[in-house]
Amino acid sequence: MQIINLKTIDSVATHVADILIQRIHEFQPTEQKPFLVLGLPTGSTPIPVYQRLVNAFQEGIISFKHVVTFNMDEYVGLAPEHKQSYHYFMQEHLFQHIDIPQNQIYILNGMALDLETECTEYEKKIASFGGIDIQLGGIGENGHLAFNEPKTPFTSLTHVQQLTQNTIEVNSRFFDSLSDVPTQALTIGLQTIFNAKQIIIMATGNKKLNAVQTVSSGQLSINCPATLLNNHNNAIIVCDETAYPHN
Ligand code: GLP
């Protein structure tokens, strides 16, 4: 794992978008490997990256025809039309602006009647494409990745997750009131993230400082899920100077 220390939120977004644009641009589909598989996050951090991907598509630099996406997580109980659902977020910030076929987009269904089956089927679907090539992610203030809260085993696969009070409070900024925030989510597991061939995590703003410092100490601790990145041989955390004010 490597920390890449940049100055501004803009430089973080440009750095990450450039990696993705290059990989999408270079990808040559073959019979054995017809799709580049991206793992995608929501949250405010990836929005400027998505803007850059949309721009690159509009400028004709990249196409998403040979890209398959798996979103990291979704709230339990929110329909895709709900403005705070991650389905809605992804359409608004990325999918409706690009040429990805809708049947190459996978997002966990938080309305599924059988949530456990939804999770096991999602893992199977990821495996059917040969796993995730590039997993993009943000980081929670408490070090969570996707919705894997502290104490989630590093070996976890896609599962139903009870959200911590901290996460509910942090995410309540997007809802009318605290009581509107779902208390459960579906999330890919830490093992699912770790299985990705390449992991790119972004951390911007000083609220992420504690989490980034814990990871950079080199420890592996289930109290800070993102520390699992320390064991991965192709993972980076791209930070702005407020999230990692070293150098
Ligand atoms: C949510 C998402 C995470 C995301 C985190 C940070 O909890 N489930 O995937 O990384 O928020 O969000 P933000 O980028 O807005 O700080």
Side-chain angles (χ1 to χ4, degrees):
M1 198 274 305
Q2 196 196 347
I3 295 192
I4 297 183
N5 198 202
L6 302 174
K7 233 179 156 36
T8 62
I9 292 180
D10 260 6
S11 46
V12 169
T14 301
H15 184 84
V16 171
D18 284 352
I19 297 173
L20 296 171
I21 290 166
Q22 188 180 352
R23 286 292 300 277
I24 295 167
H25 179 71
E26 281 173 2
F27 182 72
Q28 299 284 346
T30 63
E31 214 170 301
Q32 287 89 348
K33 174 81 183 148
F35 297 108
L36 182 69
V37 184
L38 301 182
L40 296 181
T42 55
S44 41
T45 314
I47 291 175
V49 175
Y50 292 151
Q51 280 164 352
R52 284 162 174 76
L53 294 182
V54 170
N55 291 344
F57 164 70
Q58 286 169 348
E59 287 161 16
I61 299 166
I62 52 171
S63 161
F64 292 80
K65 290 232 163 80
H66 298 286
V67 171
V68 161
T69 63
F70 284 92
N71 262 83
M72 292 180 121
D73 45 17
E74 177 57 288
Y75 288 113
V76 169
L78 294 196
E81 308 74 49
H82 191 291
K83 286 205 166 160
Q84 296 312 327
S85 77
Y86 289 171
H87 279 77
Y88 191 94
F89 175 100
M90 290 307 299
Q91 288 297 335
E92 191 185 14
H93 291 286
L94 184 64
F95 297 142
Q96 70 179 3
H97 308 290
I98 60 175
D99 63 345
I100 188 165
Q102 289 291 318
N103 65 357
Q104 286 166 215
I105 295 170
Y106 293 94
I107 308 183
L108 284 155
N109 176 10
M111 298 293 282
L113 291 178
D114 182 344
L115 295 173
E116 302 294 337
T117 304
E118 175 69 14
C119 293
T120 46
E121 291 301 317
Y122 205 65
E123 283 289 334
K124 282 189 203 153
K125 196 46 102 176
I126 294 172
S128 75
F129 285 99
I132 292 170
D133 294 308
I134 310 171
Q135 178 67 60
L136 187 65
I139 187 167
E141 291 178 22
N142 61 6
H144 73 219
L145 294 180
F147 267 132
N148 292 281
E149 297 283 32
K151 308 252 189 280
T152 307
F154 285 165
T155 52
S156 56
L157 295 174
T158 303
H159 62 280
V160 183
Q161 177 77 50
Q162 198 65 40
L163 301 181
T164 61
Q165 195 55 29
N166 170 269
T167 297
I168 292 170
E169 279 165 21
V170 170
N171 289 3
S172 68
R173 69 191 190 279
F174 300 113
F175 292 82
D176 290 339
S177 73
L178 193 61
S179 60
D180 288 339
V181 187
T183 56
Q184 285 189 318
L186 300 183
T187 180
I188 60 170
L190 290 172
Q191 184 73 54
T192 322
I193 294 171
F194 192 81
N195 288 346
K197 295 169 190 84
Q198 179 178 8
I199 306 175
I200 303 172
I201 300 298
M202 297 167 284
T204 56
N206 69 353
K207 289 184 173 161
K208 308 297 171 71
L209 180 65
N210 273 344
V212 176
Q213 275 178 337
T214 307
V215 179
S216 71
S217 72
Q219 62 180 288
L220 284 176
S221 164
I222 58 168
N223 294 323
C224 178
T227 59
L228 118 141
L229 300 171
N230 281 316
N231 258 0
H232 198 280
N233 61 13
N234 191 3
I236 54 174
I237 305 184
V238 189
C239 305
D240 73 348
E241 64 180 355
T242 60
Y244 194 65
H246 295 248
N247 247 355

